[in-house]
Amino acid sequence: MFTGTVSYAQQDAQFTQYMYNTINVNPAYAGSRGAMSIFALHRTQWIGLDGAPVTNAVSMNTPLNGTSLGLGVSLVNDKIGPTHENTISADLSYFINTSETFKLSFGIKATANLFDLDASRLNPVDATDPSFQNYNKFSPNIGAGLYLHSDKAYIGFSIPNFIETKRYDDNEVAIFKEKINYYLIAGYVFDVGNEVKFKPALLTKIVQGAPLQVDVSGNFMFNDKFVAGLSYRWSAALSAMVGFQVTDGLYIGYGYDRETTNLKNYNSGSHEIFLRYELFNNIDKITTPRFF
């Protein structure tokens, strides 16, 4: 009763199908698919656990025709317990050809975060206690990233937020502080047969004060239409993923997570669904969908 400890937990929104939502963690991804890409995702984490994270994300990114630039905008709405965050980002990328097959993109990200604490959800004993009042804060930030890719492979490194900001503090002591997150992503597409592709992918996140997070996934694509695979989040969760290319431009995906820690005893898993719609012009329209 008379001692206290400091703990660190999930900060940035977590996505199982990160390979389709790269723009949120790496601004250099903007415009890399060669088409205007519109993306929307809903994630409900740890079903049955009161106050568990619920995340909604929408984004749009596109190459700027006639230039070597890409542009992206995104919005992430994240609810965890009594806190509610809206993060709005704008991304600008510039790419150069490094070979006949590879391009290297440089990206910068400008972000505005709106943090809100609903003290009524804390059920304080004394509602007049000044430490338990509604609280909101606006925080700007900047980030950057690198992204090397071809039609079959990619690797990227990014820091979405360079500035450590105090989202919530009490008597000038940072109780909730946004720390710098480092992301490394990679993937490769193997042609298993005429109608089957296999893509292993990796996402690694490093943040001070928390264990290294590693997500490893493997997805198969059949007939350029149907995708199925598994993902493992190191010492955290095992996930199953499916997706379907409905039309040349429309793709829908679903993922289900099951915890591998003791937390599995208190929830029935996490659900994630997304839609991606892409607009191609007659010049750059691809004949088969790219796997990332």
Side-chain angles (χ1 to χ4, degrees):
M1 291 174 62
F2 298 98
T3 62
T5 60
V6 177
S7 63
Y8 300 89
Q10 179 177 330
Q11 283 193 321
D12 287 355
Q14 181 172 273
F15 302 105
T16 297
Q17 297 167 111
Y18 56 86
M19 64 290 294
Y20 302 105
N21 195 30
T22 306
I23 192 69
N24 275 327
V25 300
N26 194 331
Y29 184 80
S32 65
R33 287 184 59 82
M36 178 180 288
S37 183
I38 302 168
F39 182 90
L41 176 145
H42 174 76
R43 177 179 175 85
T44 304
Q45 191 166 319
W46 301 333
I47 298 295
L49 188 64
D50 187 31
V54 177
T55 306
N56 293 288
V58 293
S59 66
M60 184 278 292
N61 73 92
T62 183
L64 299 180
N65 291 336
T67 73
S68 297
L69 298 173
L71 182 66
V73 292
S74 60
L75 169 65
V76 177
N77 173 272
D78 202 23
K79 298 179 182 178
I80 305 178
T83 66
H84 186 183
E85 290 188 74
N86 286 295
T87 303
I88 305 169
S89 301
D91 305 286
L92 181 67
S93 67
Y94 177 80
F95 71 85
I96 58 174
N97 294 314
T98 58
S99 69
E100 292 184 358
T101 56
F102 277 90
K103 293 180 180 180
L104 177 62
S105 299
F106 306 86
I108 56 174
K109 179 186 287 287
T111 299
N113 179 272
L114 304 173
F115 175 85
D116 181 73
L117 169 66
D118 183 1
S120 65
R121 298 200 60 187
L122 296 174
N123 299 319
V125 175
D126 181 5
T128 63
D129 188 333
S131 298
F132 294 99
Q133 303 301 311
N134 290 345
Y135 177 90
N136 56 74
K137 185 173 183 179
F138 168 79
S139 303
N141 219 312
I142 57 173
L146 296 171
Y147 186 65
L148 178 68
H149 70 281
S150 68
D151 287 340
K152 287 187 172 292
Y154 68 90
I155 184 170
F157 176 77
S158 61
I159 304 174
N161 296 311
F162 281 122
I163 304 171
E164 292 191 344
T165 58
K166 296 178 181 179
R167 299 283 171 81
Y168 180 74
D169 59 81
D170 183 21
N171 296 324
E172 298 183 354
V173 176
I175 297 175
F176 179 14
K177 184 176 182 180
E178 175 71 11
K179 291 184 171 291
I180 298 175
N181 289 257
Y182 304 87
Y183 288 89
L184 175 67
I185 58 174
Y188 190 86
V189 179
F190 294 92
D191 291 318
V192 179
N194 292 332
E195 304 296 339
V196 181
K197 296 182 177 71
F198 173 64
K199 184 193 69 176
L202 169 75
L203 179 145
T204 301
K205 182 170 74 171
I206 302 172
V207 58
Q208 181 185 1
L212 174 69
Q213 179 180 311
V214 179
D215 288 44
V216 180
S217 66
N219 280 288
F220 288 91
M221 175 181 275
F222 304 93
N223 298 316
D224 292 324
K225 290 289 184 182
F226 179 71
V227 176
L230 296 174
S231 178
Y232 177 66
R233 185 171 300 119
W234 190 264
S235 298
L238 181 65
S239 308
M241 299 171 288
V242 293
F244 187 69
Q245 192 77 41
V246 182
T247 66
D248 286 345
L250 180 62
Y251 182 85
I252 183 171
Y254 169 78
Y256 173 78
D257 300 356
R258 186 60 178 168
E259 294 294 312
T260 58
T261 66
N262 289 334
L263 191 60
K264 66 184 178 183
N265 299 320
Y266 306 96
N267 73 91
S268 57
S270 305
H271 299 274
E272 188 175 285
I273 187 169
F274 75 87
L275 293 170
R276 183 181 67 197
Y277 185 71
E278 295 182 304
L279 301 172
F280 301 93
N281 61 39
N282 292 330
I283 297 175
D284 60 19
K285 183 174 181 179
I286 56 177
T287 56
T288 59
R290 210 175 77 188
F291 208 174
F292 55 88

